[in-house]
Amino acid sequence: MKDIVFATNNAHKLRELREITAGVLNVLSLADINCHEDIAETADTIEGNAIIKANYIKEHYGYDCFADDTGLEVDALGGEPGVRSARYAGEDCISENNIDLLLHRLEGQSQRSARFRTAIALRIGKDVTLFEGIVNGTILTERHGTGGFGYDSIFAPVEADGRSFAEMSADEKNAISHRGRATAALINYLLHGKS
Ligand code: IMP
């Protein structure tokens, strides 16, 4: 199996990625390569942030690697929080603060369509290749479920039965999620050279 670094410190994402790529890739974490610094995400698009992270690992640690960045794009808010999804309620906020702010901004709003969009940047040698995964859904009016992470408890994908991501098993979420889809495109490319 090919060794490849996934440039993230997020244990949830790492677990999801290892589940999705089990038997295909040996995914190393930043901790596995002794990288403990915080890589600044300074771009104004999710694609830009993914590229910054993938390039950083290749240039400082020498490993082929991929990095992802995800945004939750809410139509009634002009695509916000988008690239600012992690820090929507402020620099030091936690997911619960972000959810509270989003629910507040959508109070009384009946148009609640949204999508999670993941960009993955793959850096092999000198080449960077981008992959995208999208899942469309609705922002619920209150939290449902306790699984998952981030905005999962208020996002119900259109392809499911009304449940939020936080009410689904990991397998159910991975099968339709933004990250699952972007990762499927990445794996297809790594195995067959097609993006
Ligand atoms: P990141 O920059 O890719 O880490 O993601 C940005 C923000 O989106 C973070 O606040 C995450 O909590 C949130 N996020 C990313 N992926 C998911 C997901 O699968 N479900 C819910 N929230 C997510």
Side-chain angles (χ1 to χ4, degrees):
M1 273 196 292
K2 180 178 171 57
D3 280 353
I4 194 153
V5 172
F6 180 19
T8 186
N9 288 311
N10 182 321
H12 297 279
K13 288 206 253 175
L14 193 60
R15 191 177 58 235
E16 277 188 7
L17 240 298
R18 283 184 169 147
E19 284 163 5
I20 294 166
T21 60
V24 179
L25 295 174
N26 185 32
V27 179
L28 303 173
S29 69
L30 291 179
D32 290 334
I33 62 164
N34 258 323
C35 171
H36 300 289
E37 55 262 38
D38 208 11
I39 306 168
E41 298 181 22
T42 51
D44 56 11
T45 61
I46 59 171
E47 286 81 3
N49 280 335
I51 291 170
I52 287 174
K53 289 183 277 186
N55 282 342
Y56 184 96
I57 295 305
K58 184 67 183 178
E59 281 152 23
H60 290 78
Y61 291 85
Y63 285 93
D64 287 343
C65 118
F66 62 93
D68 80 332
D69 199 39
T70 294
L72 175 62
E73 301 171 346
V74 179
D75 291 326
L77 300 176
E80 279 202 2
V83 71
R84 299 192 306 117
S85 294
R87 297 170 298 280
Y88 192 39
E91 276 309 313
D92 297 320
C93 66
I94 58 170
S95 292
E96 294 310 311
N97 307 133
N98 290 333
I99 290 177
D100 286 340
L101 180 60
L102 188 55
L103 291 179
H104 176 66
R105 296 226 163 126
L106 288 178
E107 245 166 46
Q109 175 63 254
S110 56
Q111 212 293 68
R112 304 181 75 93
S113 59
R115 73 201 47 76
F116 274 114
R117 201 164 67 82
T118 292
I120 293 180
L122 171 69
R123 170 87 189 249
I124 295 190
K126 291 192 182 330
D127 296 331
V128 175
T129 309
L130 283 171
F131 305 89
E132 184 186 61
I134 291 175
V135 59
N136 290 302
T138 300
I139 304 297
L140 302 170
T141 53
E142 56 187 29
R143 292 165 172 82
H144 289 266
T146 54
F149 69 104
Y151 296 90
D152 274 348
S153 64
I154 58 165
F155 184 87
V158 289
E159 291 145 272
D161 49 8
R163 284 177 299 157
S164 76
F165 267 157
E167 294 175 295
M168 296 181 182
S169 69
D171 283 350
E172 281 177 303
K173 178 184 170 187
N174 291 340
I176 58 170
S177 81
H178 44 303
R179 199 164 19 264
R181 288 176 170 153
T183 308
L186 169 75
I187 292 172
N188 195 39
Y189 179 84
L190 289 171
L191 293 182
H192 308 295
K194 283 185 246 157
S195 57

